[in-house]
Amino acid sequence: MTSNTGRRHVPLRRRDVVGHVTVGDIALAVAVAVGGGVGLLAGSAASHDWPAAAAQTPTPASPVDVVTGTSGCVAFWDFVKREQGEPGRFVAHVPAGGRNEFPLDAGNYVRDYWGEGRAATYADFPQLGRGPFGNAIRIVNEADPSFRPFLFVPRERLHGSPLDIKGPGRSVSVVVWAVRESGNHALAGIWHEGTDLTQAETATVRIAQRGQRQYALFAGLNKEGSACGHVSENGAGSFLNRYALHKSNSAAVSPAVPADSPAETLDRSWQCFAMTFDHRRQEVTGWLNGEAGDRWLEHPRADRLIASAYQAYMQGHFARTPGNQPGEDPTFPSDQYYNPPEQRAVSTKVLRVSETERVELREYRYTRLEVTLRKGGDGRFTETSRELVGLRLNPWWYPHGIYAPRDDGSGGPFTIGRVIHSARAVGFTGWIGGVAVYDRALSREELARLADLRAMVVIGGEVPR
């Protein structure tokens, strides 16, 4: 991986950070030379009692090296590295020999698709000058509905590149270090939600474009503050819903921290959001601070959005059951059925039983079913009906590939901070201190190691001109 110059490393004692880091552990700190001076991690060497052997301890890998040295990293923006010369945009650390460093443009998608609002510039992304890697950008709670700025790599500069992860047999991970102020929407990814949905906001749209979703990481969506992984097989909606619904939610939820909090508060508030899609396991998983956790949605039939997945499950079940079933819709497209594997139950509980009928609660890896069985003339109980009463949200079963746009100029950009979408909502607000993309599903151990970097608060990173 390429790296910045002007960095040197000093061993510092790790601070106690929100119960995640043990006081007294020795960890890496990074010093960034800026303007002839040196910016250090929060805290200083003079404030700690150093072991006598510390001076002889070999210098460990820097936080940037930990990220880029994790196998499969195709791009890592630390908001410190910039292109040489004007305009000096942020660029990514990429594998050695890589020529495309994916410089980030500033854009306002409302201006691009509706012809409204002003152009966005780097000045619209305040810089913190500190963070897990030395700097962070702020996604502001914009009051003007015609101004929705983001940083992005245009499609023409990423199509067919290592960042353009798509098609069957491909896995992906996205990791973002952030301080969430508010909102539940996009952090980073290739996730053009489309501007063609019929709603009030699109009445004046000039460019109506279908969804071009591939993969992305969100700050929760239906479970605000969680790490939400999102993938799409068709770029558009799922289960006849207008929205894409193949998504996972970590069990843990990030706190809401005002973006204008004192620096010491922000230093303690960094969270590591991550998503993985493992095509071999057919699972999308959300991770917060290196932990996925187990999350279920009870009674999915009653959920405003996931009710569509409920219908997809029931229609797939009806289609496999001989005869015309009550509630069956023969027009439901078979490629939108949602029927996770149920070969072996994790547990079975008898809810009620009579001489002629038994009702069981069966739990499988991705589903919970209430199954009714009736006793036949041979004395055996046979299933007569079932109801999906629980659906696993983390991990989420996903048996498809990743949407692959055609080689015709279509396809979405890679965006940071927001995505293009019909509603033009504010979305996530807060600080983003690093964005990494991997072309494989990272392990729990790897994600925990990346999450530990949120305690390595570097002070003195470069602030854009």
Side-chain angles (χ1 to χ4, degrees):
M1 288 282 178
T2 59
S3 62
N4 280 328
T5 59
R7 293 191 180 192
R8 66 183 182 87
H9 313 123
V10 291
L12 293 182
R13 190 182 300 273
R14 189 177 271 177
R15 297 175 293 109
D16 185 17
V17 180
V18 197
H20 185 72
V21 180
T22 304
V23 173
D25 288 349
I26 300 299
L28 168 71
V30 177
V32 182
V34 179
V38 174
L40 299 177
L41 277 180
S44 67
S47 67
H48 297 279
D49 297 325
W50 298 105
Q56 286 75 43
T57 302
T59 301
S62 73
V64 170
D65 290 339
V66 173
V67 176
T68 59
T70 300
S71 175
C73 186
V74 299
F76 170 51
W77 294 268
D78 61 3
F79 306 107
V80 174
K81 185 178 181 183
R82 300 163 70 90
E83 63 185 347
Q84 297 296 317
E86 297 298 334
R89 295 167 296 182
F90 295 127
V91 294
H93 299 265
V94 298
R99 295 184 178 182
N100 189 347
E101 295 185 318
F102 305 111
L104 295 172
D105 293 345
N108 171 17
Y109 74 82
V110 177
R111 180 183 178 89
D112 294 338
Y113 286 84
W114 277 262
E116 303 172 14
R118 64 176 178 84
T121 71
Y122 265 46
D124 296 307
F125 301 90
Q127 310 300 305
L128 189 58
R130 62 198 288 147
F133 308 99
N135 195 23
I137 61 165
R138 183 176 176 180
I139 306 301
V140 177
N141 190 347
E142 303 288 353
D144 181 356
S146 70
F147 191 59
R148 295 291 178 257
F150 55 25
L151 296 178
F152 72 107
V153 181
R155 185 71 197 185
E156 59 268 22
R157 292 211 310 265
L158 70 81
H159 190 78
S161 74
L163 189 62
D164 189 20
I165 299 169
K166 60 190 177 185
R170 300 295 305 276
S171 297
V172 65
S173 299
V174 182
V175 184
V176 172
W177 292 261
V179 177
R180 187 179 69 90
E181 177 183 52
S182 66
N184 63 354
H185 220 253
L187 294 168
I190 302 177
W191 200 258
H192 180 348
E193 291 199 358
T195 55
D196 61 341
L197 300 185
T198 302
Q199 55 192 81
E201 291 85 355
T202 57
T204 58
V205 70
R206 292 185 178 180
I207 302 176
Q209 202 169 66
R210 79 178 292 275
Q212 301 289 315
R213 304 166 173 91
Q214 289 178 229
Y215 64 86
L217 174 62
F218 287 73
L221 288 178
N222 49 309
K223 302 297 178 183
E224 183 169 331
S226 68
C228 175
H230 227 331
V231 286
S232 175
E233 83 280 19
N234 58 16
S238 307
F239 316 134
L240 302 188
N241 194 292
R242 64 192 299 185
Y243 299 115
L245 296 178
H246 288 294
K247 55 188 176 181
S248 60
N249 302 91
S250 65
V253 174
S254 62
V257 179
D260 57 358
S261 296
E264 295 76 11
T265 300
L266 295 176
D267 290 348
R268 295 192 301 268
S269 302
W270 287 100
Q271 308 288 307
C272 182
F273 295 81
M275 66 79 70
T276 58
F277 166 53
D278 187 332
H279 80 273
R280 292 183 177 86
R281 296 181 61 88
Q282 298 185 325
E283 288 183 350
V284 184
T285 308
W287 307 77
L288 187 67
N289 300 327
E291 296 291 338
D294 198 30
R295 183 185 284 277
W296 287 78
L297 175 67
E298 303 299 334
H299 309 297
R301 183 178 189 175
D303 187 84
R304 183 176 64 89
L305 287 176
I306 306 301
S308 295
Y310 164 89
Q311 288 295 338
Y313 176 91
M314 296 304 300
Q315 292 303 322
H317 168 67
F318 292 151
R320 295 195 309 271
T321 304
N324 186 27
Q325 306 300 310
E328 184 173 359
D329 178 3
T331 68
F332 197 96
S334 60
D335 65 348
Q336 291 300 301
Y337 293 156
Y338 189 69
N339 296 107
E342 295 170 340
Q343 286 81 12
R344 180 179 299 177
V346 175
S347 65
T348 301
K349 178 182 178 182
V350 176
L351 299 179
R352 52 190 180 273
V353 63
S354 68
E355 184 177 343
T356 59
E357 185 178 89
R358 184 170 74 243
V359 179
E360 298 176 347
L361 178 63
R362 297 179 184 174
E363 179 174 319
Y364 298 89
R365 177 161 177 78
Y366 306 102
T367 55
R368 289 176 179 155
L369 306 174
E370 189 170 298
V371 180
T372 300
L373 306 97
R374 294 194 64 83
K375 190 175 183 179
D378 59 359
R380 297 180 179 180
F381 282 88
T382 304
E383 178 180 334
T384 56
S385 65
R386 65 171 54 188
E387 174 76 0
L388 179 67
V389 296
L391 195 55
R392 195 171 191 175
L393 301 185
N394 206 48
W396 175 268
W397 182 69
Y398 179 77
H400 311 286
I402 300 173
Y403 174 62
R406 297 177 180 177
D407 298 323
D408 60 358
S410 62
F414 184 95
T415 66
I416 295 175
R418 290 185 171 92
V419 294
I420 301 165
H421 67 113
S422 296
R424 295 168 44 167
V426 170
F428 166 88
T429 72
W431 295 99
I432 296 178
V435 175
V437 179
Y438 298 83
D439 62 4
R440 50 182 284 267
L442 299 186
S443 68
R444 177 179 179 178
E445 292 73 23
E446 290 169 322
L447 289 164
R449 187 160 59 247
L450 295 176
D452 282 344
L453 299 177
R454 67 196 180 101
M456 307 296 109
V457 181
V458 183
I459 300 173
E462 180 181 355
V463 175
R465 297 166 291 235

